[in-house]
Amino acid sequence: MIGTLYANTLYQKQIEQFDRDFARANSEELLKLHHMLKNLYIQSIIQNDTELKVDALKRLVKSASSLRLDASPYERELQTLGASMLNKPSELAKISPVPPSVPPRPTPSKSTISDTALAALGVDFSAGDLTLRFNRTLTQNQIKSFLLKSSNTYRYVFDLPGALMGNSRTYESNEVGQVRVAQYDKQTIRVVFSHNRPLTLHHRVQDQHVFIGLSEKTGAQSATTKPYESTKPDTPPRRFNPATKTVVIDPGHGGRDGGATNGKYIEKTAVLSIGLRLGKELQKRGYKVHYTRSKDTYIKLRDRTRIANDKNADLFISIHANAAPTKSKNKSMYGVETFFLSPARSERSKNVAALENQSDIEEMNHFSKQTYLNFLNREKIVASNKFALDVQQGMLDSLKQKRFNVRDGGVREAPFWVLVGAQMPAILLEVGYITNPDEVKRIFNNSYQEAIAKGVADGVDAYFYKNN
């Protein structure tokens, strides 16, 4: 599968690191190795890589037993997969001082890649034209397109089969406005052109490349698709009743944990205000709303998702403000971002997660003694990704309408502990950089906060319309 093919080297190095360091690791080092294996397990779910899952689970049995944690969930998962338990807890004493390395997986050849799942290997954008490079040839009828029109925005949507390598991308140009490329679900890549006026867009397929853009730019005149049409009246969008939906809003930090600061500006104050505005907006639309905190109180990380689970929430939204890692980057780093739970794939995601996770080190120790395998499955990760995409787009549209010039930080994956344990689609918002001298004023501006709240509520509506 994709995970095995494209992340082979990184995953193999982590497996080899565990095998090399396990026998001589102290308790602190062993705990780090244990967390690394948990992340490998989550990645195996995302990539649907059974081989990687088995490799991670076998070693989780070892590390959990050495840490005197409950290894039974890992053992049960292995039995479910039908894997042999080569290193059961009772056999730990027989393990040699330095366990032999697992034989490296063969590096896939180009022919191997071409015979496996369809994947977009690269994306190029220039002067309003988009090119996607795939690992094998597509056909014209595999690409679906439609138009979504709101009061001020035309969204031209293209759905392509396959998996997008790397993170989502956002581009902007005078010719076509904004272009977003992202993984919509596990089998679909979605490309969206957004502009405040109608566009004449075409797409064509040539060998392993898909071109989308203006006809005179892409040369698609000879392979013009039919004109894009709005959804037909006899196929209305899915209906849902907001009164049957429950949303839990989690204003980050609180009480003794102020979060990020910039002089008189404190993160916990801004995110509480935004959270309360969002709650009122959702209630106006008919949703049931609960808060993890509605005043300046400290709430433990594990209690935040527990509240959502106890309320049988349909969605969980944690609200935060970001901070640059160093003073030298205070002016250059700004923008809004939306995260969903996953092992971090980039250094930036790791930095953001580390910042939010440091609020209570004891919480990390608590989670290290629990298994969150029961709370994680591929379907929930995919649903959270979809929810994040809708909310991010909702925020951008709302802020743009209010003429706030914000940067689109995109939808990203990161291992936020506050999202661990949520039994429903869960996301974490970074509504701006409190360390940026200009953006910090926006974050505490009433109009900006209202625009964020409306945009997130629009994203909630969009998610339920599509996935009810």
Side-chain angles (χ1 to χ4, degrees), residues 242-260:
T244 66
K245 305 297 183 183
T246 300
V247 181
V248 168
I249 299 170
D250 172 46
H253 309 282
R256 69 172 184 262
D257 174 21

Side-chain angles (χ1 to χ4, degrees), residues 23-38:
R24 40 180 179 252
N26 59 34
S27 58
E28 183 178 348
E29 293 167 339
L30 187 55
L31 184 59
K32 290 181 180 179
L33 290 172
H34 186 68
H35 284 307
M36 179 185 73
L37 291 174
K38 285 185 180 180

Side-chain angles (χ1 to χ4, degrees), residues 270-301:
V271 299
L272 177 58
S273 178
I274 293 172
L276 295 175
R277 293 174 192 269
L278 172 59
K280 289 179 181 178
E281 180 66 29
L282 289 172
Q283 286 172 334
K284 282 197 305 184
R285 302 185 186 198
Y287 292 95
K288 298 176 184 176
V289 174
H290 298 280
Y291 304 92
T292 57
R293 70 180 183 98
S294 57
K295 54 186 178 181
D296 187 18
T297 54
Y298 175 76
I299 307 292
K300 291 183 177 180
L301 290 179

Side-chain angles (χ1 to χ4, degrees), residues 301-367:
L301 290 179
R302 63 177 178 264
D303 290 336
R304 295 174 185 260
T305 49
R306 180 184 59 76
I307 292 171
N309 294 337
D310 289 347
K311 298 295 184 182
N312 293 316
D314 296 284
L315 298 174
F316 178 82
I317 304 171
S318 190
I319 305 173
H320 293 257
N322 217 331
T326 61
K327 289 185 178 180
S328 62
K329 295 184 177 181
N330 282 353
K331 291 185 178 180
S332 62
M333 297 190 74
Y334 61 96
V336 295
E337 300 164 294
T338 305
F339 292 85
F340 64 99
L341 179 64
S342 171
R345 288 188 178 185
S346 69
E347 197 63 32
R348 182 175 177 183
S349 292
K350 290 178 182 178
N351 291 338
V352 176
L355 178 67
E356 302 298 352
N357 287 340
Q358 70 183 4
S359 62
D360 190 346
I361 299 301
E362 292 180 2
E363 296 297 301
M364 303 288 282
N365 294 333
H366 168 80
F367 281 118

Side-chain angles (χ1 to χ4, degrees), residues 71-109:
S72 60
Y74 311 117
E75 294 172 329
R76 286 196 298 269
E77 179 77 2
L78 277 170
Q79 291 168 359
T80 301
L81 293 170
S84 60
M85 293 290 294
L86 299 179
N87 294 311
K88 295 181 179 178
S90 59
E91 298 174 339
L92 283 173
K94 302 177 185 178
I95 297 177
S96 57
V98 182
S101 297
V102 178
R105 302 177 190 175
T107 302
S109 63

